[in-house]
Amino acid sequence: MKISVFGLGYVGAVSAGCLAADGHFVIGVDPNETKVDLINTGVSPIIENDIGTSIASEVRSGRLRATSSVNHAVQDSEISLICVGTPSQLNGNLDLSFVRRVCEEIGEALREKGAYHVVVVRSTMLPGSMRSVVIPTLEASSGKTVGEDIGVCINPEFLREGTAVWDYYNPPKTVIGEVDAASGQVLIDLYGHLNAPMIRTSIDIAEMVKYADNNWHALKVAFANEIGTISKAVGVDGREVMSIFCQDTKLNLSSYYMKPGFAFGGSCLPKDVRALTYKARSLDLEVPLLNSILPSNRCQVERAIEMIIAQRSRKVGILGFAFKSGTDDLRESPVVDVIEYLLGKGYDLRLYDENVSMAALTGANRDYILNHIPHISRLMVSDMEEVLQFAETLVVGNGSPEFDNITSLAHAGQVIIDFARVSSRPSGGNYQGICW
């Protein structure tokens, strides 16, 4: 393919060199004449393992060259990759002026081009940027329609400095956010030789995935450092602790606990977070990440309450109020927090959970419900149908399998608020998901 790469910084130079090494004809585009001259003499404009060799080899082969002429690059390519910077503003927001300017220039060049052209954004941008900046700018400057005359995709990169060339050929995944199937297929063809999951999705999800990845990586570094800080203070080797932690690939390093939904609860997680943060305070240690866990969890409970209040109906049915499905444990159940708030505000409630039955509760569970939340026991019913007949708003509190078909069981006019993703329906109308 013939490809133009806009921006010859870190991502652009690596992309240009690797694409040329894959056999494509690549034109690097940058307003900085020094970068253009370096590329054209076979010298990398960045310091990065292995990319210098690739650039030198591909310039000699004739598959890689550079220019400052946007029009020349667009006219002589089928695909344009936008790899310009998106630096932070003082308030933390992104500065998209470079992206906007490049889109204007590409659009102006496309006015003179009759052939179908695909524009692919590799720059990191917040969700909504494609729809609010890239697409309208391309259409306004080109006079053409995205999805018809112009293909548009966002293809976030997952390159680490120091190992970028290796990462290019060994990506964890290839994410293609596409406006239309035709433009997405171009990238499928471009990256088809890479051994990685190929994921086609919407442009908005692709934008957000990049931020989920990078914020997760930052969170892991901060988490490991805070565990290490506490470990050192109590005379323990934090590196050894985390080495053992990382050997658990069933729960610790896995997809478990990584599905957006309701707050955590139960007899372990809240207690153990409180204990460890108390220990840190007793040692005069600052662990802001660990200290933020319980407040963040509380915010999710408050979001759930706000969703229920927003329905403006006083008759609420709760389906599942143990802290998770498959248990009768109500201790520190976040759904119980929601119930107690609604009771305090005068809501009329009915509660159903097949695992939480007064006849079956024994020991600590029986003591908890009778002595700590006796007002809740009076609202429990033994038949889900009783809740369905009563409620104006149905709240699915946990993922018990009997709630899987709740959208078909609900009556006309009932609003379903789902904390557990028991339905695959998108939010909207009479169905609302807490994180989807």
Side-chain angles (χ1 to χ4, degrees):
M1 295 184 187
K2 293 183 176 181
I3 304 167
S4 50
V5 177
F6 286 79
L8 293 176
Y10 178 75
V11 173
V14 171
S15 297
C18 291
L19 286 166
D22 286 341
H24 302 290
F25 291 90
V26 181
I27 307 172
V29 190
D30 202 288
N32 186 322
E33 292 290 351
T34 299
K35 290 183 179 181
V36 170
D37 292 341
L38 284 171
I39 291 284
N40 286 331
T41 56
V43 177
S44 172
I46 63 168
I47 302 299
E48 174 64 37
N49 290 333
D50 301 322
I51 195 60
T53 303
S54 292
I55 287 175
S57 174
E58 298 313 318
V59 168
R60 285 196 301 270
S61 74
R63 285 192 293 265
L64 175 62
R65 66 186 192 278
T67 181
S68 58
S69 170
V70 173
N71 188 65
H72 168 71
V74 170
Q75 301 304 325
D76 202 20
S77 62
E78 308 156 82
I79 311 171
S80 294
L81 304 187
I82 296 176
C83 302
V84 300
T86 54
S88 290
Q89 298 179 7
L90 291 177
N91 65 0
N93 194 15
L94 293 184
D95 180 356
L96 296 182
S97 59
F98 298 120
V99 172
R100 182 178 286 105
R101 181 57 187 151
V102 165
C103 288
E104 289 172 347
E105 293 174 336
I106 292 173
E108 289 165 2
L110 288 174
R111 279 186 178 273
E112 305 173 17
K113 185 173 183 177
Y116 181 76
H117 194 90
V118 178
V119 179
V120 180
V121 180
R122 301 211 80 196
S123 303
T124 301
M125 302 188 304
L126 287 166
S129 301
M130 291 291 289
R131 296 192 190 279
S132 65
V133 176
V134 173
I135 292 174
T137 303
L138 283 172
E139 290 185 331
S141 56
S142 68
K144 298 184 176 183
T145 302
V146 166
E148 296 178 11
D149 311 304
I150 310 170
V152 169
C153 292
I154 181 165
N155 171 222
E157 48 80 21
F158 303 102
L159 307 178
R160 298 168 295 171
E161 293 188 39
T163 60
V165 173
W166 190 92
D167 289 341
Y168 177 89
Y169 288 111
N170 301 274
K173 56 187 175 291
T174 299
V175 178
I176 301 168
E178 58 191 26
V179 169
D180 60 282
S183 56
Q185 187 59 47
V186 171
L187 290 184
I188 293 289
D189 297 339
L190 190 66
Y191 298 126
H193 64 293
L194 300 177
N195 183 23
M198 194 81 73
I199 302 160
R200 299 176 77 166
T201 186
S202 70
I203 55 176
D204 311 274
I205 289 177
E207 288 170 319
M208 190 64 188
V209 162
K210 174 67 173 181
Y211 279 91
D213 278 38
N214 280 357
N215 280 265
W216 175 234
H217 300 328
L219 180 67
K220 288 189 289 185
V221 172
F223 174 79
N225 286 342
E226 290 192 1
I227 292 296
T229 296
I230 298 173
S231 297
K232 180 178 176 64
V234 297
V236 172
D237 184 344
R239 300 280 286 198
E240 181 66 16
V241 169
M242 291 306 297
S243 175
I244 295 171
F245 171 92
C246 290
Q247 291 180 49
D248 179 355
T249 57
K250 290 183 179 179
L251 297 178
N252 291 347
L253 304 184
S254 72
S255 60
Y256 276 87
Y257 309 116
M258 297 296 286
K259 295 179 176 64
F262 197 36
F264 62 76
S267 59
C268 295
L269 298 188
K271 173 180 70 72
D272 291 345
V273 173
R274 278 195 293 268
L276 189 60
T277 52
Y278 171 82
K279 184 64 175 179
R281 287 195 305 275
S282 73
L283 295 167
D284 292 327
L285 300 176
E286 291 289 336
V287 286
L289 176 61
L290 295 176
N291 284 334
S292 72
I293 294 173
L294 290 178
S296 175
N297 201 52
R298 182 62 200 174
C299 285
Q300 195 70 343
V301 175
E302 291 170 358
R303 290 185 190 102
I305 291 170
E306 290 169 1
M307 290 178 69
I308 297 170
I309 292 173
Q311 306 312 311
R312 300 186 180 279
S313 55
R314 307 296 293 181
K315 299 171 71 173
V316 178
I318 308 290
L319 300 176
F321 55 101
F323 86 95
K324 67 177 182 179
S325 63
T327 179
D328 61 358
D329 196 348
L330 297 177
R331 290 172 295 174
E332 302 219 40
S333 168
V335 186
V336 170
D337 290 344
V338 172
I339 292 169
E340 292 192 312
Y341 178 90
L342 296 175
L343 282 175
K345 293 298 183 180
Y347 282 75
D348 193 3
L349 305 179
R350 296 292 184 276
L351 319 176
Y352 169 78
D353 191 314
E354 67 174 347
N355 292 310
V356 182
S357 166
M358 288 303 297
L361 285 170
T362 59
N365 288 335
R366 181 178 178 84
D367 174 73
Y368 183 80
I369 196 169
L370 290 177
N371 297 312
H372 293 270
I373 51 173
H375 48 296
I376 287 179
S377 67
R378 294 191 292 270
L379 303 171
M380 293 166 53
V381 300
S382 59
D383 185 357
M384 182 167 64
E385 183 60 29
E386 188 173 339
V387 176
L388 294 174
Q389 293 296 334
F390 162 81
E392 296 168 347
T393 300
L394 290 170
V395 176
V396 181
N398 64 41
S400 178
E402 64 181 321
F403 307 142
D404 286 352
N405 61 343
I406 190 61
T407 54
S408 60
L409 293 174
H411 304 308
Q414 283 181 321
V415 174
I416 301 168
I417 297 178
D418 186 358
F419 296 168
R421 194 58 185 264
V422 296
S423 173
S424 59
R425 285 176 55 181
S427 268
N430 71 334
Y431 174 82
Q432 300 291 326
I434 192 169
C435 286
W436 51 91

